[in-house]
Amino acid sequence: MSLARNTLVQATLTLGSRILGFARDLALSARFGQGPMMDAFTTALMLPNMFRRLFAEGAFAQAFVPVYGGVRAREGDEAAAVTASEAMSFMLAVVAAFCILLQVLMPWIMPWLLSAYRGDEVVLRVAVTATQLAMPYLACMTVASLLSGVLNTAGRFALSAAVPIFLNLCTLAPLLLAYVLPASQPTVLLWVTAAVTVSGLIQAGLLWWGVRRLGVTLRLSLPRLTPNVKRALALAIPGALAGGAMQINALVSQVLAGSDEGARSVIYNADRLYQLPLGLIGVAIGLALVPRLTRAFVAGDHEGGRKTLDDGITLAMAFTLPAAVALFVIPFFIIDATVTRGAFTSADAARTADVLRQFAWGVPAFVLAKVLTPPFFAREDTRRPMIYAVSAVIFTIVVGSGLFFWLSSQGIDGVLGLAIATSLSAWINVALLGGTLVRENAWRPSPAFVSRIVRVLLASAVMAAALIAAGIGYEVLSRIFLAKEIAVLVVCGAGMALYAVSLFVFRAVTLAELKAVLRREPGAPVSSSLD
């Protein structure tokens, strides 16, 4: 399939998952607001969420694909299956031990993670139990990540993109059940976190079924550090760290925010919105790029690899820039119209909107990092992206903590400093990745590429002007359309339509090009029922 078609498959299925996730978050905000229980919930999901994004949403799979694909090309399917089985067995054992250790130590760790509630034994006890219930999800994602890598190598993207839907279905179910069987907030929170682990078992099981249908037989065995495992881990673990730099930065921000009551809930709500274009576009394009770039590298087709990267970046920015613009210019409109209800107030929406605006200008960098790391992975170079990612994390820790405490001392919301540092570090990571590719002539932006990006920026500017006007008239529009929920849908829909028209007016894209990128590539295999 073409790059655009693969991306469309990934993005469409991810969109379904994100819509369900958004419904789940609306139910969470309505029940918990931005109070102690919501802080406890976000803490319980902090590590599982980070590992889900590292593993299920592509970073580990991106790194594992070249390893598995290389063995498959050189030694055949059977050797590749053995490599995958050995790596899965070893990593599952390590992660399972890590999960058990964290569960045992969590009563002593939690007061540091939720330092704002050290005097509240109820909140800490609930947070500890909730985290222990959610922790096995990490082991499930270890299995799921490797199985996704096997499917992606074979050109099967749909199943690995679809299974995260079960995380949102499983966690939404207890929140809906709580309206039928009234329960206390701590009880509902424990139901939801237990459902996280249930969803992990379902996801791993479905991916296992998908791999078996593909004709690949993987087996769990006693963990052994074989040469194949050493080679796979040497590439895949740094690759996961490199591809998941933003997720690590988000974790750092969550930890730093633990000393400010309600701050973790603010970050969680902002995170759900600014992560949307990353999950829909960045991850989808990144996963689709790795097999294509790997094939180009093995064949010595450097020009084909550069063109693939040009197309990937152009496609990513065409979808990402309008999303970033909307989150930057009308964050309060979006949050107040969609989330404010129940325990979540307009004051909560205003605080979240201020933080979201600072994340928004980093959104293009978050997505670009997902597109610029595959060229390194395709050449089995995961060390340098990891170094760049670690540098970005150190920057977030130093600058973010400094801004957090300085702004707090000035009576300003310290979470703004964390958002600013996260966005800055993302752009630093992109500069390091892109600069290295250009310096080594692995990628040289063509004049046509530069022209296309400029036209996309012009189309985004036209949309921004319209959204600014809509944001000023938020209250009037809410009355005209009878409800703020309808108003935000109309405004976002009109903004998307205006952007699409502007793309054609500025000739950033033509109908002929649109048909061409969606056309199946000559000689591409017909998708199975998995896709």
Side-chain angles (χ1 to χ4, degrees), residues 5 32 53 107 143 306 312 414:
R5 286 172 65 95
F32 300 132
R53 288 165 180 164
V143 175
R306 283 193 282 266

Side-chain angles (χ1 to χ4, degrees), residues 48-83:
N49 262 336
M50 184 188 75
F51 276 81
R52 173 176 61 84
R53 288 165 180 164
L54 283 174
F55 291 156
E57 292 188 356
F60 188 90
Q62 284 183 24
F64 181 72
V65 164
V67 177
Y68 176 80
V71 173
R72 187 184 181 203
R74 291 190 301 269
E75 304 175 38
D77 291 341
E78 187 174 341
V82 170
T83 298

Side-chain angles (χ1 to χ4, degrees), residues 84 98 132 200 260 279 287 303 360 364 427 433 479:
F98 175 66
Q132 290 170 332
D260 184 353
L287 286 173
E303 187 58 36
W427 282 110
L433 291 168
R479 289 195 295 270

Side-chain angles (χ1 to χ4, degrees), residues 81-159:
V82 170
T83 298
S85 297
E86 292 173 344
M88 180 170 60
S89 299
F90 183 83
M91 284 206 65
L92 182 59
V94 172
V95 174
F98 175 66
C99 290
I100 294 170
L101 179 64
L102 283 181
Q103 287 175 312
V104 172
L105 297 178
M106 197 50 62
W108 292 273
I109 296 174
M110 189 56 67
W112 295 97
L113 294 178
L114 269 180
S115 56
Y117 298 99
R118 282 185 180 174
D120 194 327
E121 292 185 6
V122 173
V123 173
L124 290 178
R125 185 170 62 252
V126 171
V128 167
T129 305
T131 306
Q132 290 170 332
L133 286 171
M135 201 61 67
Y137 185 74
L138 306 189
C140 297
M141 286 302 97
T142 301
V143 175
S145 66
L146 280 151
L147 296 175
S148 294
V150 172
L151 289 170
N152 293 346
T153 301
R156 305 292 184 256
F157 295 90
L159 188 60

